[in-house]
């Protein structure tokens, strides 16, 4: 869309010089050639990455202390993971149908991803329930506490995504939408979903191997 | 957010008619600007009183809401400090219980750092100035921006609610270190601390929404011709501070969430095995040091979250009121960015006495001294800007000068404290209290005052009263030194910090007792001077002298709006077009001593261009 300048190049400009002024006058006032919403989603993903990374650091630090007792991973977690992978995959498909403006497919796809996302959340709650009934309380060992914390935070992120999914879907169903805006919204949701899948795989892997 | 998707996608071709180049054929050569397509920002228009003034989505109103809420909360922090000072000066009167003293220092510290200064610089000045200085009609996501303010207000309400719960607010100190923060015996260890932690979480969530707006507006909705390097330094300061905040606040959030769980669910993230009142608590294995690392990984950048906007604002005030371009603009930007990056690598200088290995300490002492380099560069550049400037001793200039002196003072003691061997004996004494009040209390507050005197006409269309302003300035400036200079000495003779009473101890010189009385009287006088300021604000907003447009003859876009105070949408029908940076003061050959950013080269043909 446009030339993107590196940060060092920007920082070495001399805005007071006549030759630079000629170039600068031509500038359209945007730093990146992407929409504000996309930049917003990227920023949010960056902040979330920092949050999860700090939790992982805390996990790694706390793990080394003598009282740590790892927690079993119920088989249902594998199912949930599979559901989340499918969820991402279908979101990718919705994005493709949106790009092709295939409204029947878009509609079907949006329903599918919503359904999968909610079943993932329900699956996670069932895992919680199973673990609690086996006596793995948050207070009994900190490994359990980390498990509940990670799943809860990841779930909350997914709920946030579902809010925007709901807005796109209802707009789409009402029919009075402008195509580019729906395409863009679906694209952004898809990016976010892939991000959440990645986060989950990292968290799940971490808990699996420790 | 998805409503906002729309106007980002449809690129409504809207060609900017360039005022300068179309009018006369002869000028077309030098200020030629090619017609460009530019997506129009669809502006939200409010329809009722409520949506205009209360649930406002206009960044200017949100900024004022932020500022008023922050200042109101700050006044509570000020009153708390009076009570503490009275207690320290006259322990015999029994003004405060020991437990209330702890609660008051905690609330005072937290309020001042987070709910006053962070909220005021980023939420207040950020919202007010970013769209105006960048030449945008509003923030990128006005609705999210509005939610950000209401989240802040909610956080303040939760914080203040902790005064009224059983046990009162937390008395753990503003650093909230576990295990004592949630162990019985500390004031407010059950309800108070939980409310504090929740309030901080809400604040972080609200700030993230605001921060998203600040950086995306600055990156993506600037006016035509406004490159990043043409932005006033105020924008650079706020921008970098926001990036720091978005990366550092998560550490606070993570710490708060885990401590809340420790307190409510009995998890052992931070809580080690402990015996309290003869009983084994159910905690085991938690790591209090982990909290300290998380807290200071947030806490040190937080210092710069306050300082960087102050640096930026002060650069602009000095340049405008000394009628001179800022010395070394690029170096100033580099310093801001460099300080921002380095600030993530110094956090453990707050933990020299925590028992970590000394080698670790030396690493952090080194980084701490390195970060002093760009900071010192900034100070030199401010001084060099003043050098042979046409210095106007206006109120903003007075406050700027006071800032430089105070900041240098606090910065020098910071270099002392950054060294492990010096810090170990001085840590937890009044030397530390004096240091951080100078560098992150008084210095930024002076900037806040300077900025308010400077931008008040932009907000209200009236000038603040000069006489009252001068009284306010001299009492505040001299008074702060009367308060904090003696504290350095108290620190040297070993008066400990966070003690509600200095008993008759053979180790404490009697002079400290007299000094305490002196400091308290000074603090009360400085506090009273703030009432003059408040009165000035209210009085001048209603009956102050009407200000002309652009009263300080500044160059940046916020003063170049068609009406002052700027109306809805900021810039009338056409967005401004920018032809130069914000620092063209006293350009040789120009007829006036300033050239606003929107003046095309054709109108100032005789002006010479600087060569470097
Ligand atoms: C005239 C204004 C002020 C006065 C008289 C004042 C006074 C005090 C006093 C008496 C203490 C307690 C010292 C102790 O016993 O350890 C304190 C602590 C503190 N103050 Fe201030 N203060 C003022 C302004 C500020 C400002 C503007 C800030 C903003 C950064 C600030 C930040 C703090 C912090 C962070 C603490 C430490 C709290 C703790 O130990 O947990 N103060 N102040
Ligand atoms: Cu620090």
């Amino acid at each position: 869309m446009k030339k993107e300048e590196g940060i060092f190049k920007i920082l070495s400009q001399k805005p007071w010089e006549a030759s630079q002024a000629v170039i600068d006058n031509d500038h359209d006032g945007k730093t990146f050639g992407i929409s504000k919403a996309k930049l917003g989603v990227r920023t949010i993903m960056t902040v979330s990455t920092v949050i999860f990374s700090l939790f992982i650091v805390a996990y790694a630090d706390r793990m080394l202390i003598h009282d740590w007792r790892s927690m079993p991973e119920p088989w249902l977690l594998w199912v949930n993971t599979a559901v989340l992978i499918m969820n991402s995959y279908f979101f990718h498909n919705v994005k493709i149908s949106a790009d092709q403006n295939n409204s029947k497919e878009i509609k079907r796809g949006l329903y599918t991803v919503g359904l999968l996302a909610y079943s993932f959340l329900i699956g996670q709650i069932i895992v919680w329930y199973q673990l609690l009934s086996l006596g793995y309380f948050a207070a009994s060992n900190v490994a359990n506490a980390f498990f509940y914390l990670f799943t809860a935070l990841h779930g909350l992120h997914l709920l946030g995504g579902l809010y925007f999914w709901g807005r796109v879907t209802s707009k789409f169903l009402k029919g009075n939408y402008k195509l580019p805006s729906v395409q863009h919204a679906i694209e952004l949701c898809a990016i976010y979903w892939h991000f959440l899948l990645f986060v989950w795989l990292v968290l799940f892997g971490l808990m699996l191997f420790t | 957010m998805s409503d906002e998707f729309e106007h980002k996608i449809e690129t409504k071709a809207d060609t900017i008619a360039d005022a300068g180049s179309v009018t006369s054929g002869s000028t077309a050569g030098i200020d030629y600007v090619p017609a460009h397509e530019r997506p129009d920002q669809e502006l939200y228009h409010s329809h009722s009183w409520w949506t205009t003034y209360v649930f406002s989505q206009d960044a200017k109103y949100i900024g004022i809401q932020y500022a008023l809420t922050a200042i109101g909360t700050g006044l509570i922090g000020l009153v708390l400090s009076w009570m503490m000072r009275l207690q320290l000066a006259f322990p015999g009167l029994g003004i405060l219980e020991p437990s209330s003293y702890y609660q008051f220092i905690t609330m005072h510290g937290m309020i001042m750092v987070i709910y006053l200064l962070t909220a005021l610089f980023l939420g207040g000045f950020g919202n007010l100035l970013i769209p105006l200085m960048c030449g945008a009609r509003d923030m990128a996501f006005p609705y999210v921006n509005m939610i950000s303010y209401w989240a802040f207000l909610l956080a303040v309400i939760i914080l203040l609610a902790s005064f009224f719960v059983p046990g009162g607010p937390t008395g753990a100190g503003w650093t909230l270190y576990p295990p004592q923060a949630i162990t019985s015996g500390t004031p407010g260890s059950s309800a108070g601390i939980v409310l504090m932690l929740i309030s901080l979480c809400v604040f972080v969530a609200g700030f993230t929404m605001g921060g998203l707006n600040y950086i995306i507006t600055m990156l993506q909705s600037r006016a035509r011709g406004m490159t990043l390097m043409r932005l006033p330094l105020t924008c650079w300061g706020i921008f970098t501070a926001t990036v720091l905040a978005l990366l550092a606040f998560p550490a606070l959030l993570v710490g708060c969430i885990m401590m809340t769980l420790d307190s409510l669910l009995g998890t052992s993230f931070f809580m080690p095995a402990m015996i309290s009142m003869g009983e084994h608590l159910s905690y085991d294995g938690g790591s209090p040091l982990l909290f300290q690392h998380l807290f200071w990984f947030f806490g040190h950048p937080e210092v710069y979250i306050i300082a960087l906007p102050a640096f930026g604002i002060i650069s602009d005030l000095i340049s405008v009121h000394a009628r001179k371009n800022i010395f070394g603009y690029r170096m100033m930007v580099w310093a801001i960015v460099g300080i921002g990056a380095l600030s993530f690598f110094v956090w453990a200088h707050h933990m020299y006495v925590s028992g970590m290995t000394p080698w670790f300490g030396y690493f952090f002492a080194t980084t701490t001294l390195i970060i002093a380099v760009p900071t010192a560069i900034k100070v030199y550049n401010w001084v060099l800007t003043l050098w042979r400037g046409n210095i106007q001793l206006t109120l903003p200039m007075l406050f700027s000068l006071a800032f430089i002196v105070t900041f240098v003072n606090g910065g020098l003691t910071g270099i002392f404290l950054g060294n492990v061997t010096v810090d170990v004996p001085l840590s937890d004494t009044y030397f530390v209290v004096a240091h951080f009040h100078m560098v992150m209390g008084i210095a930024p507050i002076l900037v806040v005052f300077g900025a308010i005197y400077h931008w008040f006409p932009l907000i209200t269309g009236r000038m603040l009263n000069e006489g009252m302003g001068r009284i306010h300035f001299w009492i505040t400036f001299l008074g702060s030194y009367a308060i904090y200079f003696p504290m350095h000495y108290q620190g040297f003779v070993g008066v400990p910090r966070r003690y509600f009473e200095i008993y008759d101890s053979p180790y404490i010189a009697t002079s400290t007792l007299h000094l305490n009385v002196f400091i308290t009287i000074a603090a009360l006088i400085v506090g009273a001077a703030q009432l003059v300021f408040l009165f000035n604000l209210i009085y001048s907003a209603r009956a102050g002298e009407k200000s002309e447009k652009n009263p300080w003859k500044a160059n940046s876009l916020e003063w170049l709006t068609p009406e002052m105070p700027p109306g809805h949408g900021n810039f009338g029908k056409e967005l401004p077009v920018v032809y130069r940076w914000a620092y063209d003061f006293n350009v040789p050959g120009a007829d006036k001593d300033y050239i606003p950013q929107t003046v095309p080269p054709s109108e100032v043909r005789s002006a010479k261009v600087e060569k470097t």
Side-chain angles (χ1 to χ4, degrees), chain A residues 10-13 15-17 24-27 29-32 34 36-37 40 62 65 67 139 164 167 178 180 184-185, chain B residues 1-3 5 8-10 34 39 141 212 216 219-220 222 225 227 229-230 251 265 268-269 284-286 330 334 579 612:
Chain A
I10 293 179
L11 287 179
S12 57
Q13 288 168 4
W16 55 87
E17 286 199 334
D24 285 352
N25 290 347
D26 205 14
H27 195 280
K30 284 188 175 160
T31 314
F32 302 109
I34 57 174
K36 290 179 205 161
R62 191 63 183 74
I65 298 174
D67 70 324
F164 288 103
R167 293 190 57 166
K178 304 195 184 90
H184 195 57
Chain B
M1 226 194 269
S2 56
D3 286 338
F5 289 148
K8 255 136 269 147
I9 306 314
E10 307 147 28
F141 313 112
L212 203 65
I216 294 183
L219 286 175
Q220 298 297 79
R222 301 188 306 271
T227 58
M229 292 303 274
R230 276 178 172 180
L265 294 186
S268 307
F269 291 111
D284 190 18
R330 283 196 309 167
W334 296 341
Y579 292 95
T612 30

Coordinates of all heavy atoms in Angstrom, one line a residue, chain A residues 10-13 15-17 24-27 29-32 34 36-37 40 62 65 67 139 164 167 178 180 184-185, chain B residues 1-3 5 8-10 34 39 141 212 216 219-220 222 225 227 229-230 251 265 268-269 284-286 330 334 579 612:
Chain A
I10 N 13.3 6.9 10.2 CA 12.5 8.0 10.6 C 13.2 8.8 11.6 O 13.2 10.1 11.6 CB 11.2 7.5 11.3 CG1 10.3 6.8 10.2 CG2 10.4 8.6 11.9 CD1 9.0 6.2 10.7
L11 N 13.8 8.2 12.6 CA 14.5 8.9 13.7 C 15.7 9.7 13.2 O 16.2 10.6 13.9 CB 14.9 7.9 14.8 CG 13.8 7.4 15.6 CD1 14.3 6.4 16.7 CD2 13.0 8.5 16.3
S12 N 16.2 9.4 12.0 CA 17.4 10.2 11.6 C 17.0 11.3 10.6 O 17.9 12.0 10.1 CB 18.4 9.3 10.9 OG 17.8 8.6 9.9
Q13 N 15.7 11.5 10.4 CA 15.3 12.6 9.5 C 15.6 14.0 10.2 O 15.6 14.1 11.4 CB 13.8 12.6 9.3 CG 13.4 11.5 8.4 CD 11.8 11.4 8.4 OE1 11.1 12.1 9.0 NE2 11.4 10.4 7.7
P15 N 14.0 17.3 10.3 CA 12.7 17.9 9.8 C 12.9 19.4 9.5 O 12.0 20.0 8.8 CB 11.8 17.8 11.0 CG 12.6 17.6 12.2 CD 13.9 16.9 11.7
W16 N 14.0 20.0 9.9 CA 14.1 21.5 9.7 C 14.8 21.8 8.4 O 14.8 22.9 8.0 CB 14.9 22.1 10.8 CG 16.2 21.4 11.0 CD1 17.4 21.8 10.4 CD2 16.5 20.3 11.9 NE1 18.4 20.9 10.8 CE2 17.9 20.0 11.7 CE3 15.8 19.5 12.7 CZ2 18.5 19.0 12.4 CZ3 16.4 18.5 13.4 CH2 17.8 18.2 13.2
E17 N 15.3 20.8 7.7 CA 16.0 21.1 6.5 C 15.1 21.2 5.3 O 14.1 20.5 5.2 CB 17.0 20.0 6.2 CG 18.2 20.1 7.1 CD 19.4 19.3 6.6 OE1 19.2 18.4 5.9 OE2 20.5 19.7 7.0
D24 N 8.6 15.8 3.3 CA 7.6 15.7 4.4 C 6.3 16.3 4.0 O 5.2 15.8 4.4 CB 8.1 16.5 5.7 CG 9.2 15.7 6.4 OD1 9.4 14.5 6.0 OD2 9.8 16.2 7.3
N25 N 6.3 17.4 3.2 CA 5.0 18.0 2.8 C 4.1 17.0 2.1 O 2.9 17.1 2.1 CB 5.2 19.2 1.9 CG 5.9 20.3 2.7 OD1 5.9 20.3 3.9 ND2 6.3 21.3 2.0
D26 N 4.7 16.0 1.6 CA 4.0 15.0 0.8 C 3.5 13.9 1.6 O 2.8 13.0 1.1 CB 5.0 14.4 -0.3 CG 4.3 13.9 -1.5 OD1 3.1 14.2 -1.6 OD2 5.0 13.2 -2.3
H27 N 3.7 13.9 2.9 CA 3.4 12.8 3.8 C 1.9 12.8 4.1 O 1.4 13.9 4.4 CB 4.2 12.9 5.0 CG 4.2 11.6 5.9 ND1 3.2 11.3 6.7 CD2 5.1 10.7 6.0 CE1 3.5 10.2 7.3 NE2 4.6 9.7 6.9
G29 N 0.4 11.5 6.6 CA 0.0 11.6 8.0 C -0.2 10.2 8.6 O -0.7 10.1 9.7
K30 N 0.1 9.1 7.9 CA 0.0 7.8 8.4 C 1.3 7.1 8.5 O 2.1 7.2 7.5 CB -1.0 7.0 7.5 CG -2.4 7.4 7.7 CD -3.2 6.4 6.9 CE -4.6 6.6 7.1 NZ -5.3 6.0 6.0
T31 N 1.5 6.4 9.5 CA 2.8 5.7 9.6 C 2.8 4.3 9.0 O 3.7 3.9 8.3 CB 3.2 5.5 11.1 OG1 2.9 6.8 11.8 CG2 4.6 5.2 11.3
F32 N 1.6 3.6 9.1 CA 1.6 2.3 8.5 C 0.4 2.2 7.5 O -0.6 2.9 7.7 CB 1.3 1.2 9.6 CG 2.3 1.2 10.7 CD1 2.0 1.6 11.9 CD2 3.6 0.7 10.4 CE1 3.0 1.6 12.9 CE2 4.6 0.7 11.4 CZ 4.3 1.1 12.7
I34 N -1.9 0.2 7.2 CA -3.0 -0.7 7.6 C -4.0 0.0 8.3 O -3.8 1.2 8.8 CB -2.5 -1.9 8.5 CG1 -1.8 -1.3 9.8 CG2 -1.5 -2.8 7.8 CD1 -1.4 -2.4 10.8
K36 N -6.7 1.3 11.2 CA -6.5 1.5 12.6 C -7.0 0.3 13.4 O -6.4 0.0 14.4 CB -7.4 2.7 13.1 CG -6.8 4.0 12.6 CD -7.7 5.2 13.0 CE -7.6 6.3 12.1 NZ -8.7 7.3 12.2
A37 N -8.1 -0.3 13.0 CA -8.6 -1.4 13.7 C -7.6 -2.6 13.7 O -7.4 -3.2 14.8 CB -9.9 -1.9 13.1
G40 N -5.0 -1.8 16.1 CA -5.6 -1.9 17.4 C -5.5 -3.4 17.8 O -5.0 -3.7 18.9
R62 N 8.1 -20.2 40.1 CA 7.5 -20.9 41.2 C 7.6 -22.4 41.2 O 7.7 -23.1 42.3 CB 6.0 -20.5 41.1 CG 5.2 -20.8 42.3 CD 5.6 -20.1 43.6 NE 4.8 -20.5 44.7 CZ 4.9 -21.7 45.3 NH1 5.8 -22.6 44.9 NH2 4.1 -22.0 46.3
I65 N 10.3 -24.4 43.4 CA 10.2 -24.5 44.8 C 9.7 -25.9 45.2 O 8.8 -26.4 44.6 CB 9.4 -23.3 45.4 CG1 10.2 -22.0 45.0 CG2 9.3 -23.4 46.9 CD1 9.4 -20.8 45.4
D67 N 7.6 -27.4 47.1 CA 6.3 -27.9 47.3 C 5.5 -28.1 46.0 O 4.3 -28.4 46.0 CB 5.5 -26.8 48.1 CG 5.2 -25.6 47.4 OD1 6.0 -25.2 46.6 OD2 4.1 -25.0 47.6
A139 N -6.1 -24.0 46.2 CA -5.4 -23.7 47.4 C -4.5 -24.9 47.8 O -3.5 -24.7 48.6 CB -6.3 -23.4 48.6
F164 N -16.9 -9.7 19.9 CA -16.8 -9.1 18.6 C -17.4 -10.0 17.5 O -18.0 -9.6 16.5 CB -15.3 -8.7 18.3 CG -14.9 -7.6 19.1 CD1 -14.1 -7.7 20.2 CD2 -15.3 -6.3 18.7 CE1 -13.7 -6.6 21.0 CE2 -14.9 -5.2 19.5 CZ -14.2 -5.4 20.6
R167 N -20.9 -9.3 17.4 CA -21.3 -8.1 16.7 C -21.2 -8.2 15.1 O -22.1 -7.8 14.4 CB -20.4 -6.9 17.1 CG -20.6 -6.6 18.5 CD -20.0 -5.4 19.0 NE -20.3 -4.2 18.1 CZ -20.1 -3.0 18.4 NH1 -19.5 -2.7 19.6 NH2 -20.5 -2.0 17.7
K178 N -22.0 -3.2 5.0 CA -21.1 -2.9 3.8 C -20.1 -4.0 3.8 O -19.4 -4.3 4.8 CB -20.5 -1.5 4.0 CG -21.5 -0.5 4.2 CD -21.0 0.9 4.0 CE -22.0 2.0 4.3 NZ -21.9 2.4 5.7
P180 N -17.0 -4.5 2.6 CA -15.6 -4.4 3.1 C -15.5 -4.4 4.6 O -14.6 -5.0 5.1 CB -15.1 -3.1 2.5 CG -16.1 -2.7 1.5 CD -17.4 -3.3 1.8
H184 N -13.4 -7.1 6.7 CA -12.3 -6.7 7.5 C -12.5 -7.2 9.0 O -11.6 -7.7 9.6 CB -12.2 -5.2 7.5 CG -11.0 -4.6 8.1 ND1 -9.7 -5.0 7.6 CD2 -10.7 -3.8 9.1 CE1 -8.8 -4.4 8.3 NE2 -9.3 -3.7 9.2
A185 N -13.8 -7.1 9.5 CA -14.0 -7.5 10.8 C -13.8 -9.0 10.9 O -13.2 -9.5 11.9 CB -15.5 -7.2 11.2
Chain B
M1 N -16.3 -2.3 18.8 CA -15.3 -1.6 17.9 C -15.8 -1.7 16.5 O -15.3 -0.9 15.6 CB -14.0 -2.3 18.0 CG -12.8 -1.3 18.2 SD -11.3 -2.1 18.0 CE -10.9 -2.7 19.6
S2 N -16.7 -2.6 16.1 CA -16.8 -2.9 14.7 C -17.5 -1.8 14.0 O -17.4 -1.7 12.8 CB -17.5 -4.2 14.5 OG -18.7 -4.2 15.2
D3 N -18.2 -0.9 14.7 CA -18.7 0.3 14.0 C -17.6 1.1 13.4 O -17.7 1.7 12.4 CB -19.4 1.3 15.0 CG -20.7 0.7 15.5 OD1 -21.3 -0.1 14.7 OD2 -21.2 1.1 16.5
F5 N -14.9 -0.1 12.3 CA -14.3 -0.7 11.1 C -14.7 0.1 9.9 O -13.9 0.3 9.0 CB -14.8 -2.1 11.0 CG -14.3 -3.1 12.0 CD1 -15.0 -4.1 12.4 CD2 -13.0 -2.9 12.5 CE1 -14.5 -5.0 13.4 CE2 -12.5 -3.7 13.5 CZ -13.3 -4.8 13.9
K8 N -12.8 3.1 8.6 CA -11.4 2.8 8.3 C -11.3 2.2 6.9 O -10.3 2.2 6.3 CB -10.8 1.9 9.3 CG -9.9 2.6 10.3 CD -10.2 2.2 11.6 CE -11.2 3.0 12.3 NZ -12.0 2.3 13.2
I9 N -12.4 1.5 6.5 CA -12.3 0.7 5.3 C -12.6 1.5 4.1 O -11.9 1.6 3.1 CB -13.2 -0.5 5.4 CG1 -12.9 -1.2 6.7 CG2 -13.0 -1.4 4.2 CD1 -11.4 -1.4 6.9
E10 N -13.8 2.2 4.1 CA -14.2 2.9 3.0 C -13.3 4.1 2.8 O -13.2 4.9 3.7 CB -15.6 3.4 3.1 CG -16.6 2.4 3.5 CD -17.6 2.9 4.4 OE1 -17.9 4.2 4.3 OE2 -18.1 2.2 5.3
P34 N 0.7 17.7 -3.8 CA -0.1 16.9 -4.7 C -1.4 16.5 -4.0 O -1.5 16.3 -2.8 CB 0.7 15.7 -5.0 CG 1.6 15.5 -3.9 CD 1.9 16.9 -3.4
P39 N -8.6 9.1 3.7 CA -9.9 8.7 4.3 C -10.4 9.7 5.3 O -9.7 10.2 6.1 CB -9.5 7.4 5.0 CG -8.0 7.4 5.2 CD -7.5 8.3 4.2
F141 N -10.5 5.6 18.3 CA -11.7 4.9 18.7 C -12.4 5.6 19.8 O -12.2 5.3 21.0 CB -11.3 3.5 19.2 CG -10.4 2.7 18.3 CD1 -9.1 2.5 18.8 CD2 -10.7 2.3 17.1 CE1 -8.2 1.8 18.0 CE2 -9.9 1.6 16.3 CZ -8.6 1.4 16.7
L212 N -4.4 2.5 23.8 CA -4.7 2.1 22.5 C -5.0 3.3 21.6 O -4.5 3.4 20.5 CB -5.9 1.1 22.5 CG -6.1 0.1 21.4 CD1 -4.9 -0.8 21.5 CD2 -7.4 -0.6 21.7
I216 N -2.5 4.8 18.6 CA -3.0 4.6 17.2 C -3.3 6.0 16.6 O -3.1 6.2 15.4 CB -4.1 3.6 17.2 CG1 -3.5 2.3 17.6 CG2 -4.7 3.5 15.8 CD1 -4.5 1.1 17.6
L219 N -0.1 7.4 15.5 CA 0.5 6.8 14.4 C -0.3 7.0 13.1 O 0.3 7.1 12.0 CB 0.7 5.3 14.7 CG 1.8 4.9 15.6 CD1 1.7 3.4 15.9 CD2 3.1 5.3 15.1
Q220 N -1.6 6.9 13.2 CA -2.4 6.8 12.0 C -3.3 8.0 11.6 O -3.8 8.0 10.5 CB -3.3 5.5 12.0 CG -2.5 4.2 12.1 CD -1.6 4.0 10.9 OE1 -0.5 4.5 10.8 NE2 -2.1 3.1 10.1
R222 N -2.6 11.5 11.7 CA -2.1 12.8 11.7 C -2.5 13.6 10.5 O -3.0 13.0 9.5 CB -0.5 12.7 11.8 CG -0.1 12.0 13.0 CD 1.4 12.1 13.2 NE 2.1 11.6 12.0 CZ 2.5 10.4 11.7 NH1 2.2 9.5 12.6 NH2 3.1 10.1 10.6
G225 N 1.2 16.1 5.9 CA 2.5 16.7 6.1 C 3.0 16.6 7.5 O 4.2 17.0 7.7
T227 N 4.8 14.6 9.6 CA 5.6 13.3 9.8 C 5.8 13.2 11.3 O 5.6 14.1 12.1 CB 6.9 13.4 9.1 OG1 7.6 14.6 9.6 CG2 6.8 13.6 7.6
M229 N 8.6 13.1 12.8 CA 9.6 13.9 13.3 C 9.2 15.4 13.2 O 10.0 16.3 13.6 CB 10.9 13.7 12.4 CG 11.5 12.4 12.7 SD 11.9 12.0 14.4 CE 13.6 12.8 14.5
R230 N 8.0 15.7 12.8 CA 7.5 17.1 12.9 C 6.6 17.3 14.1 O 6.2 18.4 14.3 CB 6.8 17.5 11.6 CG 7.6 17.9 10.5 CD 6.8 18.2 9.3 NE 7.5 18.9 8.2 CZ 7.0 19.2 7.0 NH1 5.7 19.0 6.8 NH2 7.7 19.8 6.1
A251 N 2.7 -6.2 34.1 CA 3.4 -6.8 35.3 C 2.6 -6.5 36.6 O 2.5 -7.3 37.4 CB 4.8 -6.2 35.4
L265 N -8.5 -16.9 47.7 CA -8.7 -18.3 47.6 C -7.7 -19.1 48.4 O -7.7 -20.3 48.5 CB -8.5 -18.7 46.1 CG -9.5 -18.3 45.1 CD1 -9.3 -18.9 43.8 CD2 -10.9 -18.6 45.6
S268 N -0.9 -20.1 47.0 CA 0.4 -19.7 47.5 C 1.3 -19.2 46.4 O 2.4 -19.7 46.3 CB 1.1 -20.8 48.3 OG 0.2 -21.4 49.2
F269 N 0.9 -18.2 45.7 CA 1.8 -17.7 44.6 C 2.9 -17.0 45.3 O 4.1 -17.2 45.0 CB 1.0 -16.8 43.7 CG 0.1 -17.4 42.8 CD1 -1.3 -17.2 43.0 CD2 0.5 -18.3 41.8 CE1 -2.2 -17.8 42.1 CE2 -0.4 -18.9 40.9 CZ -1.8 -18.6 41.1
D284 N 2.2 -22.2 51.7 CA 3.4 -22.9 51.6 C 4.2 -22.6 50.3 O 3.6 -22.6 49.3 CB 3.2 -24.4 51.7 CG 4.5 -25.1 51.9 OD1 5.5 -24.5 52.3 OD2 4.5 -26.4 51.7
G285 N 5.5 -22.3 50.5 CA 6.3 -22.3 49.3 C 6.3 -21.0 48.4 O 7.1 -20.9 47.5
G286 N 5.4 -20.1 48.6 CA 5.3 -18.9 47.7 C 6.5 -18.1 47.8 O 7.3 -18.1 48.7
R330 N 16.4 16.2 17.4 CA 16.5 14.8 17.1 C 17.1 14.1 18.3 O 16.6 13.0 18.7 CB 17.4 14.5 15.9 CG 16.7 14.8 14.6 CD 17.5 14.2 13.5 NE 18.9 14.6 13.6 CZ 19.9 14.0 12.9 NH1 19.6 13.0 12.1 NH2 21.1 14.4 12.9
W334 N 15.6 11.0 20.4 CA 16.4 9.7 20.7 C 16.4 9.5 22.2 O 16.3 8.4 22.6 CB 17.8 9.9 20.1 CG 17.9 10.0 18.7 CD1 16.9 9.6 17.8 CD2 19.0 10.5 17.9 NE1 17.3 9.9 16.5 CE2 18.6 10.4 16.5 CE3 20.2 11.0 18.2 CZ2 19.4 10.8 15.5 CZ3 21.1 11.4 17.2 CH2 20.7 11.3 15.9
Y579 N 3.4 22.2 7.1 CA 4.6 22.5 6.2 C 5.9 22.6 6.9 O 6.9 22.8 6.3 CB 4.4 23.8 5.5 CG 3.2 23.8 4.5 CD1 2.0 24.3 4.9 CD2 3.4 23.4 3.2 CE1 0.9 24.2 4.0 CE2 2.4 23.3 2.3 CZ 1.2 23.8 2.7 OH 0.1 23.8 1.8
T612 N 22.3 22.4 8.8 CA 23.1 21.7 9.9 C 23.9 20.6 9.3 O 23.5 20.0 8.3 CB 22.1 21.0 10.9 OG1 21.0 20.6 10.3 CG2 21.9 21.9 12.1

